[in-house]
Amino acid sequence: MIGLLGGGQLGRMMIQAAHRLGERVTVLDPDGQGPAAQIADVVITRNYDDKKGLDQLARTCTSFTTEFENVPAESLRHLARFGATRPDGRCVAVAQDRIDEKRFIAACGVDVVPHAVITRLEDFDDLPASLFPGILKSARLGYDGKGQQKVHSVTEARSTWSAMGSVACVLEKRVALEREISVIVARDLHGEMAVFPVGENIHRNGILAVTRVPAAIGDDLAEHARQAACRIAQTMEYVGVLCVEFFVLSGGRLMANEMAPRPHNSGHHSIESCATSQFEQQVRICVQKPLGSTALTSPAVMLNVLGDAWFKSSDQPSEPDWQAVRAQPDVALHLYGKSDPRPGRKMAHVTCLGSTLPQALGRARNVADILGLDVGDGLA
Ligand code: ADP
Ligand code: MG
């Protein structure tokens, strides 16, 4: 039995992959009705740091994994005494703190965005002017653009920092993005690595809206990004599925933005478009089966469906027209089983395949029209 900390959609898709391999999963989640709990073999409805819950998990499972970023690293460290944690608490802790994360990535020889660490008021003295306009990001607990504020001057940065509760932050230079890409790498206990094709990500309001695969970048840049992700995984002695997000600047300059110690939203397409999905790799690593091939079997476009799609015609939520989506060719609809649609909440995703990327994009445009999705120029 695999023990999973967390109950969201990533966990749900991991369980679906586990079931296809004949494996069983116990979910520990305070919400016993969430996306993962709905299809788990066993559900423990307790907090992630609840001693009784962790003990039950420890007694019944041989390996442990997680599906959300802010799982208490301490719980993973505790579980490590009873079985294999994939990934372990040490790696999760690094990825949970933007200060440690940037320090670690830079130590791997991978460029990061110019930034300063802010932990005290004095840290605002002598900040280089080149960091402005910038973005002040809380070091911990940020996701989907939360815990970040644009700042244009030292004075504004100081007052924004106070308003954010004077918590530890990084102040990043706002760089001109030519595009955003991500690399997902699976690394097993023996150090074998399987790297997924580079995805190109389009965000709206700090939330991923579209992933296109393959990314429209040259082979050299793609290889550079894949090698950087592998170097990070290897240096960390990471065991599990790791996503590294990168910014591409003009001239093809690459900078790592952040990493996620788990399957990632930008890898959802792999369920349909790759020989082995990111979720299956995670299961394979947990049960010590060899990694599968990450070969791209079809170009793909993934569309995130946020709760906004429920509020197109009125203030009262109404179910989007799934039948019309399903009627499209080569389109896979993944509903996460969340009962409460809210604007900005990830409710579902749709993956559109095509024999070429333009064909997949055409299908994605039809789906985005049906659902009224805000994709910016993500499908151009
Ligand atoms: P989160 O943890 O919310 O994903 P990120 O640091 O990845 O936080 O920021 C979310 C998005 O905001 C990025 O994908 C990118 O589009 C934009 N962004 C973040 N930092 C910068 C930056 N330094 N310069 C330009 N855009 C940025
Ligand atoms: Mg991000």
Side-chain angles (χ1 to χ4, degrees):
M1 186 85 91
I2 301 168
L4 172 66
L5 293 168
Q9 63 269 16
L10 298 169
R12 182 184 179 96
M13 290 183 270
M14 194 203 101
I15 296 169
Q16 288 165 342
H19 287 167
R20 280 196 294 273
L21 294 180
E23 302 291 343
R24 287 156 47 85
V25 182
T26 296
V27 164
L28 173 70
D29 186 46
D31 173 6
Q33 315 285 316
Q38 288 166 21
I39 64 164
D41 297 279
V42 178
V43 181
I44 305 171
T45 310
R46 287 186 177 272
N47 280 325
Y48 303 119
D49 54 0
D50 178 277
K51 176 93 177 41
K52 275 207 178 115
L54 290 172
D55 282 349
Q56 190 183 336
L57 209 61
R59 271 200 314 279
T60 54
C61 299
T62 48
S63 63
F64 308 100
T65 187
T66 168
E67 63 97 54
F68 78 114
E69 191 127 352
N70 291 314
V71 63
E74 199 41 56
S75 296
L76 285 174
R77 290 198 190 96
H78 173 77
L79 289 169
R81 305 214 299 266
F82 305 94
T85 50
R86 312 282 186 239
D88 64 23
R90 173 185 54 93
C91 296
V92 171
V94 171
Q96 280 174 348
D97 187 302
R98 288 188 196 275
I99 300 170
D100 294 344
E101 180 178 58
K102 287 189 195 301
R103 204 176 278 145
F104 186 87
I105 292 173
C108 294
V110 175
D111 285 349
V112 295
V113 180
H115 67 282
V117 171
I118 308 285
T119 58
R120 318 164 300 163
L121 200 54
E122 298 85 86
D123 292 329
F124 288 98
D125 304 341
D126 310 319
L127 277 182
S130 61
L131 288 181
F132 295 96
I135 305 182
L136 193 61
K137 301 182 179 179
S138 67
R140 303 182 64 84
L141 300 174
Y143 69 99
D144 287 346
K146 297 188 180 69
Q148 319 197 349
Q149 297 279 336
K150 289 182 182 156
V151 289
H152 299 87
S153 65
V154 179
T155 317
E156 189 186 1
R158 258 197 211 100
S159 59
T160 304
W161 186 64
S162 307
M164 285 167 72
S166 306
V167 292
C169 281
V170 293
L171 174 66
E172 275 181 37
K173 179 184 172 68
R174 186 134 48 95
V175 290
L177 307 179
E178 196 160 85
R179 57 186 92 237
E180 294 188 67
I181 60 173
S182 56
V183 178
I184 296 169
V185 50
R187 186 173 182 276
D188 74 10
L189 183 63
H190 311 291
E192 290 297 322
M193 288 192 275
V195 193
F196 284 91
V198 179
E200 182 167 349
N201 303 323
I202 294 90
H203 295 82
R204 303 296 287 165
N205 305 315
I207 307 179
L208 184 68
V210 178
T211 298
R212 310 161 50 135
V213 197
I217 56 173
D219 291 346
D220 287 355
L221 183 56
E223 196 45 36
H224 182 181
R226 286 157 60 107
Q227 279 177 10
C230 288
R231 197 149 68 236
I232 292 167
Q234 205 158 18
T235 310
M236 246 205 265
E237 296 178 32
Y238 189 89
V239 181
V241 173
L242 177 76
C243 175
V244 184
E245 294 178 16
F246 295 94
F247 295 153
V248 180
L249 278 55
S250 70
R253 175 128 195 248
L254 199 65
M255 287 179 175
N257 172 32
E258 59 172 356
M259 56 188 171
R262 50 172 172 76
H264 191 258
N265 199 166
S266 65
H268 290 359
H269 66 87
S270 62
I271 297 173
E272 287 85 17
S273 71
C274 294
T276 311
S277 77
Q278 60 169 351
F279 301 103
E280 179 172 336
Q281 300 286 37
Q282 188 183 21
V283 174
R284 287 177 166 272
I285 291 165
C286 286
V287 300
Q288 298 196 33
K289 281 196 168 81
L291 295 172
S293 158
T294 48
L296 191 70
T297 53
S298 167
V301 177
M302 191 273 327
L303 300 170
N304 259 351
V305 184
L306 305 181
D308 307 65
W310 272 250
F311 298 93
K312 290 293 155 192
S313 45
S314 91
D315 292 348
Q316 293 305 311
S318 66
E319 201 72 17
D321 188 355
W322 304 128
Q323 286 309 346
V325 173
R326 290 193 189 100
Q328 302 295 312
D330 274 327
V331 158
L333 170 64
H334 296 259
L335 294 171
Y336 301 153
K338 297 181 183 177
S339 53
D340 180 19
R342 289 190 303 269
R345 188 176 195 209
K346 290 175 183 170
M347 299 296 292
H349 77 265
V350 180
T351 298
C352 306
L353 302 180
S355 46
T356 61
L357 186 62
Q359 187 180 44
L361 284 165
R363 291 172 175 161
R365 278 193 293 272
N366 292 342
V367 173
D369 284 347
I370 293 167
L371 297 175
L373 304 181
D374 171 16
V375 293
D377 55 5
L379 301 177

